[in-house]
Amino acid sequence: MKRKFFTNLPSEITTDVLSRLPLRSIALSKCVCKPWLNLLDFDDFKFKTPPALALLQQTNSTRCSIFEFEDKDEFVEEKSHDLHYIPLTHFEIRDENSEILVGMAANGLLLIHSQGGFPQIPLFICNPITHQYIELWCPEEYILDDDDVHIMLSYGFGMSKISGQYKVLCKYIDASSDSYRHVYTLGTGTWRLVEAGAVSGFGTCLPGYFGFNGILHWVGGEDDLAHTLWVCCFDLENECYDIFSPPPPPPVDGHGRQTRELSTLMDCLCYSYTWEDDIVIWLMKEYQVEESWTNLHKISRNGFDLDWDFASDWKYMGVKPIRLFKDGDVLMLLDQKKLIYYSNKTKTIQQVGMLNDATAQNYVSAMIFTPSLFSFKNFVFENVISF
């Protein structure tokens, strides 16, 4: 007699079993029976799929590809730089303006917007796994009919830690008055003004915002002779701002400032830049404790195997670590264009091309993405579109 094993299991055990399946298996499980479909479509369902990598690649359109990593303690071949990954999904974004699009990930969702922050181009908030998206426009006051007025906006995106609300932060980059910013809470249909507080008057150093632990971070600078830098924060829960000091700066040599990047490694805030012949990576072991900044890596660029000439602009390129593997290897994004891979065993760096198309080596954005089955169906004030 055939036993209906799963039928007799308590729902919490069934949930735990299903949550451990690979993402593709979870998608197939929704077709098994109606109880499983209802369980997997429930907003509180959390699955244990490891973080993936989202890549935005610019060709005639913008292609978004999601890859899942196999993180092994060691690679089979001592000198291998091959990443073990599984393609999960991909989609194309057609843009009539042919503008470069960049992205930012937050708890299973992606915010995709124009790199230049142009008000004439909408924002897209999407879930690549459920194939749903919302089209969002910037605050009305920034959409002007005068072609001679050029407005550039910067955007941050994240989820509040307690209430679980997704929020978009919008800043007018060239505003003469910086006392207010706009905030959009997903599902409300409206932008709100929020006082800039501690970061009022601070410029935003490119490339922009980074979300960590329910807080948006960016590197901001004071308009003083020393060009003093701060790590600026916006708490998405209480919508308050704060600042703290970055790691100790390198010696000043009169050749200008580097491009600094914020990211996360080992569940810590990460601060990185290029300096002289090195990639320098810092970790903040205790959040907002300035004394806990620790130098994780100082990687020499000697031995680089890249197909382009970068020596003259080296000091002005940003480098963002986006994955630290168990064996000490690091996957990084260089100058928002090239994926590079550092082997801790061989102490060398090589360029990575992760798509089958041999010409697909110029990446606009790369970010750690946590796959989710989160649905927009409860957002009655949003125009939810399936693709």
Side-chain angles (χ1 to χ4, degrees):
M1 183 176 65
K2 187 177 180 179
R3 300 179 62 185
K4 297 181 179 180
F5 179 71
F6 274 96
T7 304
N8 299 323
L9 281 178
S11 60
E12 59 270 19
I13 295 181
T14 302
T15 300
D16 184 67
V17 171
L18 293 176
S19 70
R20 298 174 187 274
L21 293 175
L23 188 59
R24 289 182 179 273
S25 299
I26 290 177
L28 293 173
S29 299
K30 297 173 71 173
C31 303
V32 172
C33 59
K34 191 171 182 179
W36 283 18
L37 173 63
N38 294 335
L39 179 65
L40 295 172
D41 274 346
F42 189 57
D43 288 341
D44 288 341
F45 178 78
K46 308 292 183 185
F47 55 93
K48 299 178 174 61
T49 299
L53 181 72
L55 295 179
L56 286 180
Q57 177 217 357
Q58 195 78 21
T59 52
N60 294 328
S61 60
T62 300
R63 177 187 176 96
C64 180
S65 303
I66 309 295
F67 297 91
E68 186 177 31
F69 285 114
E70 292 180 0
D71 192 356
K72 299 180 180 180
D73 289 338
E74 292 183 351
F75 293 117
V76 177
E77 298 181 18
E78 181 178 347
K79 296 184 179 181
S80 173
H81 291 271
D82 294 332
L83 290 175
H84 302 273
Y85 63 90
I86 303 171
L88 293 179
T89 187
H90 71 271
F91 60 92
E92 303 280 340
I93 303 173
R94 298 287 177 180
D95 178 24
E96 297 178 356
N97 299 284
S98 300
E99 291 292 340
I100 295 176
L101 301 180
V102 295
M104 184 173 180
N107 295 78
L109 301 185
L110 293 177
L111 171 69
I112 299 175
H113 61 89
S114 69
Q115 188 178 46
F118 302 118
Q120 299 83 3
I121 301 175
L123 294 76
F124 302 97
I125 300 175
C126 72
N127 187 334
I129 306 304
T130 62
H131 282 227
Q132 295 176 318
Y133 76 91
I134 292 171
E135 187 177 276
L136 177 65
W137 291 91
C138 70
E140 291 183 359
E141 61 205 73
Y142 298 137
I143 302 177
L144 306 176
D145 295 329
D146 190 350
D147 293 336
D148 294 329
V149 178
H150 300 285
I151 291 179
M152 296 180 62
L153 304 172
S154 63
Y155 294 103
F157 179 57
M159 189 183 79
S160 57
K161 191 174 182 179
I162 299 175
S163 62
Q165 293 180 314
Y166 288 91
K167 298 182 180 182
V168 181
L169 179 66
C170 175
K171 177 184 181 295
Y172 180 16
I173 295 178
D174 296 323
S176 57
S177 175
D178 190 36
S179 57
Y180 291 93
R181 312 282 172 93
H182 284 86
V183 175
Y184 185 95
T185 302
L186 203 60
T188 63
T190 59
W191 288 94
R192 297 176 290 107
L193 282 174
V194 177
E195 290 189 13
V199 302
S200 179
F202 283 19
T204 302
C205 301
L206 295 176
Y209 299 91
F210 175 76
F212 171 69
N213 203 26
I215 300 173
L216 290 179
H217 301 78
W218 65 98
V219 179
E222 290 189 66
D223 188 16
D224 56 12
L225 294 177
H227 298 293
T228 306
L229 294 177
W230 298 92
V231 177
C232 304
C233 317
F234 178 70
D235 191 315
L236 292 163
E237 188 66 50
N238 57 34
E239 298 186 351
C240 291
Y241 290 87
D242 200 358
I243 59 173
F244 57 88
S245 296
V252 177
D253 65 352
H255 293 295
R257 296 173 287 176
Q258 310 89 1
T259 301
R260 297 153 178 88
E261 296 270 9
L262 293 171
S263 57
T264 180
L265 288 175
M266 301 170 59
D267 294 324
C268 296
L269 188 65
C270 177
Y271 186 97
S272 55
Y273 53 85
T274 53
W275 179 252
E276 295 184 345
D277 289 329
D278 300 317
I279 293 173
V280 184
I281 303 174
W282 293 80
L283 287 185
M284 183 173 249
K285 293 296 185 68
E286 295 182 53
Y287 184 65
Q288 285 197 337
V289 177
E290 296 172 355
E291 294 77 17
S292 71
W293 281 115
T294 303
N295 189 213
L296 175 68
H297 270 307
K298 192 175 182 181
I299 303 171
S300 173
R301 73 180 173 107
N302 295 329
F304 265 77
D305 183 18
L306 299 180
D307 61 1
W308 56 309
D309 181 16
F310 61 92
S312 60
D313 296 325
W314 171 255
K315 289 187 177 182
Y316 306 100
M317 290 184 178
V319 58
K320 176 183 287 188
I322 52 180
R323 186 69 188 267
L324 177 65
F325 293 87
K326 293 177 182 177
D327 58 2
D329 292 2
V330 187
L331 180 67
M332 295 171 280
L333 182 68
L334 178 64
D335 199 34
Q336 298 187 18
K337 295 178 181 178
K338 301 288 183 181
L339 279 174
I340 58 175
Y341 188 76
Y342 169 71
S343 170
N344 190 44
K345 184 175 293 185
T346 64
K347 307 301 180 184
T348 57
I349 298 178
Q350 287 188 357
Q351 185 174 319
V352 176
M354 292 187 63
L355 302 179
N356 291 331
D357 184 354
T359 64
Q361 295 183 11
N362 288 303
Y363 300 112
V364 178
S365 289
M367 67 213 89
I368 291 298
F369 171 78
T370 303
S372 167
L373 296 176
F374 180 85
S375 175
F376 295 136
K377 61 186 178 182
N378 294 327
F379 292 149
V380 295
F381 292 104
E382 307 290 357
N383 180 24
V384 180
I385 304 171
S386 297
F387 60 92

